[in-house]
Amino acid sequence: WVVGADGEAREEHTAADFRRPLAIVLGEEGRGLRELTRRTCDALVRIPLRGRVESLNGAAAAAVLCFEVRRQRALP
């Protein structure tokens, strides 16, 4: 299961099911995922941002997504 992080995705990262085995794909800072990579993903998720922040750097986005994976997998 391949999940891509994309700022234009409809689904927020907390709504996705991260309990199954998966790979998380992050795009280049500024440009995001390439089109072929985006189309290859099984699902796309976005991390909602507030204020004037337009995007997160790769390490911050990875940390947010890994935290959500861990949170969901700890649920009963």
Side-chain angles (χ1 to χ4, degrees):
W1 187 252
V2 179
V3 177
D6 182 12
E8 302 300 317
R10 292 181 184 157
E11 184 175 40
E12 290 189 11
H13 72 292
T14 54
D17 182 1
F18 289 136
R19 294 172 293 169
R20 65 184 93 194
L22 63 92
I24 296 174
V25 180
L26 302 174
E28 184 178 348
E29 290 180 35
R31 288 197 268 178
L33 294 174
R34 293 183 180 191
E35 185 58 34
L36 179 59
T37 304
R38 187 180 288 111
R39 289 194 315 253
T40 304
C41 291
D42 297 302
L44 296 173
V45 298
R46 67 182 168 84
I47 300 169
L49 302 173
R50 300 214 191 306
R52 295 185 295 198
V53 176
E54 293 182 17
S55 66
L56 298 175
N57 70 29
V64 169
L65 294 173
C66 287
F67 178 85
E68 181 60 20
V69 170
R70 177 68 179 103
R71 186 191 72 79
Q72 287 187 19
R73 291 181 179 183
L75 296 173

